[in-house]
Amino acid sequence: MAPVLPLVLPLQPRIHLAQGLWLLSWLLALTSGLTILCSGHLLVQLRPLGTFLAPSCPFPALPQVSLAAGAVALGTGVVGAGASRASLDAARYPPWRGVLGPLLVTGTAGGGGLSVFALGLALGLPGSLGEGLEEGLGTALTRYKDTEVPGHCHAKRLVDELQLKHHCCGRHSYKDWFGIQWVSSRYLDPNDQDVADRIQSNVEGLYLIDGVPFSCCNPHSPRPCLQSRLSDPYAHPIFDPRQPNLNLWAQGCHGVLLGYLQGLASTLGSMLAVTFLLQALVLLGLRYLHTALEGLGGVIDGEGVTQGYLFPGGLKDTLRTAWLQGGVAHRPAPEEAPPEEAPPEEGLPAA
């Protein structure tokens, strides 16, 4: 059986390969550490912002899978640095001979699989983020008034913090607040004629006003904040409702959060791509170094020229060998079972 992708490795190339792998392994450890930091940062940001995502939105799975992939890549980098350093010393390498093979298989199957999965999530999930924010923000705005409803009592505080921190108002604009009741009913006087008229004029019995919460106000505005009667051009002197950005945040929270979270996902995806590339190079180099040293009995400065390879034989032969070693082929088929020997005939007694 001819080895798959053999590579002839004399003494100096073997030494250079081990030294290069040591450097690449620590570089992998560095990038995987940065990937873990990016994943943790995204997880921390999603803790308060997850309220504004639909429950069916899978975007929170991205930092979780990326965190696991970064941890496995970090372990691969540390192990690769230790193995490549030990391979330069014939006295330190023997303990690695028995564990390096299984570690390579585990790192390739587990670490590579997790990295590919996380990279796929980083490329695919940001596209569905817009729909998740559309539904989640709409639900959060309608719960703004439910300050005494169990499970919804923190909605007002979270929405106010969102609008103040990210400089946004409403879902797409400040006019989104005009179509929902955001004032709690406990603060409405049912005996007030204006309140009664507004509730009766709405088919759903909601109290709708052309006003916004205080968190929509832009503190950089030179005039006091105007929160009510924003669609009435005669309600406030020297105020043009066509230019609300002079008084309120002009951007909606949907666009702001979408750009912010997609930026974090893009940064994380870039780190995952670099980590995956370095991880593949380290695992590939370790495989060649490991098989080359096995041909020399684990001594890097052994005499002679050896070769490294990916597999000892072709893919078909490798699978066939694994199948045979599993014991399946050693089971005789029913038709191939050896026939039972007939019992020996007893001799006739002598006359």
Side-chain angles (χ1 to χ4, degrees), residues 22-44:
W22 181 83
L23 181 60
L24 275 178
S25 298
W26 283 118
L27 191 58
L28 172 61
L30 176 62
T31 57
S32 57
L34 293 176
T35 301
I36 293 175
L37 289 178
C38 291
S39 303
H41 178 65
L42 184 54
L43 273 177
V44 171

Side-chain angles (χ1 to χ4, degrees), residues 214-276:
F214 78 97
S215 53
C216 283
C217 295
N218 185 351
H220 304 294
S221 174
R223 67 176 301 162
C225 180
L226 304 178
Q227 299 176 245
S228 61
R229 302 178 64 183
L230 295 175
S231 58
D232 187 354
Y234 305 103
H236 308 286
I238 320 179
F239 173 71
D240 188 357
R242 295 171 299 180
Q243 297 180 350
N245 57 325
L246 299 177
N247 180 69
L248 306 174
W249 300 121
Q251 292 182 305
C253 294
H254 181 275
V256 173
L257 286 184
L258 183 62
Y260 179 67
L261 292 178
Q262 282 184 342
L264 293 179
S266 176
T267 302
L268 180 56
S270 301
M271 295 305 306
L272 283 170
V274 175
T275 301
F276 173 73

Side-chain angles (χ1 to χ4, degrees), residues 80-221:
S84 57
R85 180 66 179 271
S87 66
L88 294 172
D89 188 351
R92 296 175 57 187
Y93 183 70
W96 291 89
R97 293 185 63 182
V99 298
L100 192 55
L103 283 176
L104 285 174
V105 175
T106 305
T108 303
L114 276 175
S115 298
V116 171
F117 184 39
L119 191 57
L121 292 178
L123 295 175
L125 286 185
S128 63
L129 183 60
E131 298 179 0
L133 285 173
E134 186 76 20
E135 180 182 346
L137 282 171
T139 303
L141 264 60
T142 57
R143 293 176 178 176
Y144 185 87
K145 68 180 186 305
D146 300 336
T147 54
E148 296 182 347
V149 178
H152 302 169
C153 54
H154 300 295
K156 177 184 180 300
R157 176 180 59 83
L158 293 175
V159 172
D160 286 334
E161 290 178 352
L162 171 69
Q163 297 187 142
L164 288 172
K165 180 179 179 181
H166 292 274
H167 298 174
C168 59
C169 181
R171 182 162 48 176
H172 297 288
S173 72
Y174 72 99
K175 292 184 179 180
D176 292 333
W177 290 106
F178 297 177
I180 63 174
Q181 179 181 340
W182 55 272
V183 180
S184 177
S185 299
R186 64 173 298 187
Y187 300 113
L188 300 177
D189 185 4
N191 299 320
D192 189 297
Q193 188 61 38
D194 180 65
V195 173
D197 292 342
R198 288 182 180 273
I199 293 178
Q200 293 176 0
S201 62
N202 187 270
V203 294
E204 298 180 0
L206 301 177
Y207 178 75
L208 304 181
I209 59 174
D210 54 347
V212 296
F214 78 97
S215 53
C216 283
C217 295
N218 185 351
H220 304 294
S221 174

Side-chain angles (χ1 to χ4, degrees), residues 1-2 16 21 46 67 70 103 134 189 199 221 223-224 245 259 263 279 295 316 329 334 340:
M1 293 185 297
H16 293 162
L21 277 176
L46 284 178
L67 193 63
L103 283 176
E134 186 76 20
D189 185 4
I199 293 178
S221 174
R223 67 176 301 162
N245 57 325
Q279 189 175 13
K316 180 179 179 180
E340 296 182 0

Side-chain angles (χ1 to χ4, degrees), residues 288-303:
Y288 274 106
L289 182 63
H290 174 61
T291 53
L293 292 181
E294 286 301 308
L296 296 173
V299 182
I300 195 170
D301 56 353
E303 304 235 349

